Amino acid sequence: MKPVRSEGLAAVFAVHRGRMLAAAAALLATMLAGTALLGLAGGFITAAALAAGTAAGFNFFSPSAGVRALALARILSRYAEKLAGHDATLRIARDLRAWFFRRALPLAPARLGALRTGELMGRLMDDIGQVDGLFVRALGPLAAMLGIGLLGIAWAAWVDPWAAPILAVAALAMGAGVPALVARRGQVLEHRHAALQAALRTCVHEGIEGAADLAAMGATRRWAGRVDDAAGALADSGCRRRRRLSAGDLLHALCGMSALLAMTVLATSAAHAGRIAPAHAAALVFVTLALLDVWAGAGLAWQALQGGRASARRLRAVVDAAATVVDPPLPQAVPATGALCLQGVVFAHPGGRRVLDGIDLRIEPGQRVAIGGDSGGGKSTLTALALRVHDPAAGAVRWDGVDLRRFAQAEWHARVAWLPQEATVFAGSVRQNLRMGDPEAGEAAMWRVLAALDLEARVRASGGLDSEVGEGGALLSAGQARRLALARALLRPAPLLVLDEPTEGLDEDAAAALLLDLERALGGRSLLLVSHGALPASLPWRRLRLQDGRLHPVTAPGMRPPG
C-alpha cells in the first residue's frame, strides 16, 4: 500500500493514477473494438450483398478474419477493463476510508460530537461509496468517450471530410450539451438528495437506538411518521432525479436520431456520387450507430460525477474542520511517570460561560483524587483537559512539570487509561474487549483483572474469555458491561487512570464494592475519578467538589450525591 503523501482528497486518487490510466485505456480499447467491429461488419455485409453473383475479385477472407479478431479483442479488452477498473476502485475505496478516518479521528469527540450519529454514518457509507466509485462510474467512462470520439471523428474525416462535422456536432451535443442542460442546478439537487439520505438514515438510526424510550413514552407512532416523512422526501427527490435523467435520455435519442439520419443521407449521397465506396458508406453509418450508443452513457456518467463531487464536499466539510488540539512540530518525549498538575486552568465552551475558572490541582504519583459536583458543573470537562481532548483557554495542564501541549497526543494517551461515562462494550468476545486495553496482555493478567472486579465467575460460567458479549454488551447486565469496560481500562499499562462515573448503573452496595476492588487493583498508579455517587468512608482518597468553576475540599467522610 503506497502512502498518501498529501492530505488532500485528490491525493487518494493520484496514488492510483497508473491503475486508473490502465483501466481507462482498456475501456477505450473495448469501445474501439466494438465500434470497429460494427463498422467492419456493416461494410462487409454491404460489400458481400453488392458482390452477390459476381464473386470474382471479392475479398471474403480478410474482412471475416477482421471480424473474428475484433470480436476476440473486444472480449479480452472487456475482461482487462473489468479487472483493472475494479482493482483500482477497490484500492481507492480502501485508501479513501483510511484517509477519512486519519483526518476525522483527531476531531473526536469535540468536533465530531456536533454531528448526529446517523448523519456521520451516512457520510461514512453513502458519501464515501459515491466518491470511491467516481472512477468506474464517471471519470473512466468520460475519458474513454472522449478518446473514442476523437478517433471516430478522425476516421470519418479520412473516409469523407463531410462526415467529420456530423460526428463532431453529435459528440458535442450528446457528450456535453445535453448533460450540461440536464445538469443545470444538478449540483444543488445532488447535494439536497445526499442530505435527505442522511436525514432518513439519522431518523431510522435514532429510532432504533431509542426504541425502548419511544415505546415507554408512547411516541413510537409519531416517530414512525417522521421516518415516513423523511422517506417520502427522499423518494420525491429520487423521482426528480429520474425525471431529469429521462429528459436527458429523450434529448440524447433526438440528437442521436438526427445525427444518424444526417450521416445516412451523407453516406448514400457520397456513394451515389462515387466519392466513396458503398462498403465505406455502410461502415460510416454503422460506426455512427456504435458511437451514438457509446455517447448515450454520457448523461449517467455526468450525474455520477455530480453526485461524487457533492459527496466529496460533504466529506471535506467533516475532515477540514480545525482540530481542537494539534501536535507540536517537535514533540517532547513523555516521561514514564510523574505528577499531573493543573495550574490556573480556565475553560469555556464557545459562546458559553466559564465552566472552569482557575482550577488548581496536583495529583502525585500513586495518589487517588475523587471529584464530585452537580451535573453540568464541569467534571467531564476537567477530565477532557487531563486527556488533552481540549486545551485550556488559560493556565496549563502539566505532566512531570511539562505542558501537555509539548507532547504528541498519541504518546500522551499511551500514558493514560481512560473510562468515559458511557464506555462502549464492543461486539465480540471478552478477550477482544480486554485486549483493546492492552493488546499484549496474557490470559493470566486478564483473569486477574476480571477477578478483581468480580467478573471471573460470570465469564467462566459463560464459556471463558472467548465468550461473546453481544453488540454494546447486550449479553451482559448493565453492571457487568460497566465492570468489563473498567477491566479494560485497568488492564492498560498506564501510570494514570482517569475515570468518569465508573459506578454508573450500579446500586449503592455494588458501587461501594466496585470502588473497594478498584483501590486494591490500582497498585502504584495515580487515579483521577469524577463521580456523583457517595464514596466508601474507608477509601483513603483525597476528596474534592467542583462548584462554580472551582475545586473545594470535602471534609465529610463521603461524597454526597447532588441535591
Side-chain angles (χ1 to χ4, degrees), residues 340-361:
L340 180 70
C341 183
L342 285 75
Q343 293 179 322
V345 167
V346 175
F347 184 84
H349 293 287
R353 64 176 178 83
R354 284 189 175 185
V355 181
L356 303 177
D357 189 13
I359 293 291
D360 291 307
L361 174 65

Side-chain angles (χ1 to χ4, degrees), residues 80-387:
E81 176 256 318
K82 292 295 183 185
L83 191 64
H86 285 82
D87 178 57
T89 299
L90 290 173
R91 291 174 186 272
I92 290 169
R94 174 199 65 191
D95 291 352
L96 183 61
R97 284 155 176 78
W99 169 86
F100 184 83
F101 277 102
R102 185 169 57 251
R103 296 284 300 275
L105 285 179
L107 304 176
R111 295 292 187 189
L112 294 186
L115 293 172
R116 296 164 74 179
T117 303
E119 182 179 358
L120 187 58
M121 286 178 59
R123 300 199 186 191
L124 285 171
M125 300 175 68
D126 298 332
D127 290 333
I128 287 182
Q130 283 282 346
V131 175
D132 66 31
L134 262 178
F135 173 72
V136 291
R137 290 193 291 262
L139 300 178
L142 288 173
M145 286 177 200
L146 176 61
I148 193 66
L150 294 175
L151 291 173
I153 292 169
W155 176 83
W158 175 76
V159 174
D160 186 341
W162 291 102
I166 295 176
L167 285 181
V169 170
L172 287 174
M174 300 180 69
V178 172
L181 186 63
V182 174
R184 258 190 338 183
R185 296 184 66 249
Q187 283 292 110
V188 175
L189 294 175
E190 289 296 329
H191 186 77
R192 182 174 182 273
H193 189 78
L196 289 172
Q197 282 182 315
L200 176 59
R201 187 183 297 275
T202 298
C203 200
V204 172
H205 179 267
E206 291 179 349
I208 293 173
E209 287 289 305
D213 292 335
L214 290 172
M217 294 183 293
T220 302
R221 188 182 298 276
R222 290 196 300 276
W223 193 271
R226 290 181 58 182
V227 173
D228 288 341
D229 291 342
L234 181 61
D236 290 342
S237 176
C239 287
R240 283 192 290 273
R241 294 175 82 218
R242 286 189 290 273
R243 281 198 295 269
R244 283 196 302 122
L245 281 178
S246 298
D249 290 342
L250 177 60
L251 290 175
H252 268 128
L254 292 174
C255 291
M257 287 189 295
S258 300
L260 186 60
L261 178 61
M263 187 62 77
T264 302
V265 171
L266 173 69
T268 53
S269 300
H272 183 72
R275 293 202 315 270
I276 60 175
H280 288 171
L284 268 177
V285 174
F286 280 101
V287 166
T288 300
L289 187 63
L291 289 174
L292 294 176
D293 183 60
V294 168
W295 292 334
L300 283 174
W302 281 111
Q303 174 155 338
L305 181 61
Q306 280 189 316
R309 290 177 62 190
S311 292
R313 281 201 301 271
R314 286 166 54 81
L315 292 177
R316 285 194 294 265
V318 174
V319 300
D320 286 349
T324 55
V325 295
V326 294
D327 285 343
L330 297 173
Q332 183 172 330
V334 182
T337 187
L340 180 70
C341 183
L342 285 75
Q343 293 179 322
V345 167
V346 175
F347 184 84
H349 293 287
R353 64 176 178 83
R354 284 189 175 185
V355 181
L356 303 177
D357 189 13
I359 293 291
D360 291 307
L361 174 65
R362 183 177 179 87
I363 303 177
E364 299 290 347
Q367 186 180 16
R368 284 77 151 127
V369 175
I371 299 175
D374 297 332
S375 295
K379 299 188 305 300
S380 294
T381 301
L382 191 150
T383 62
L385 291 171
L387 294 165

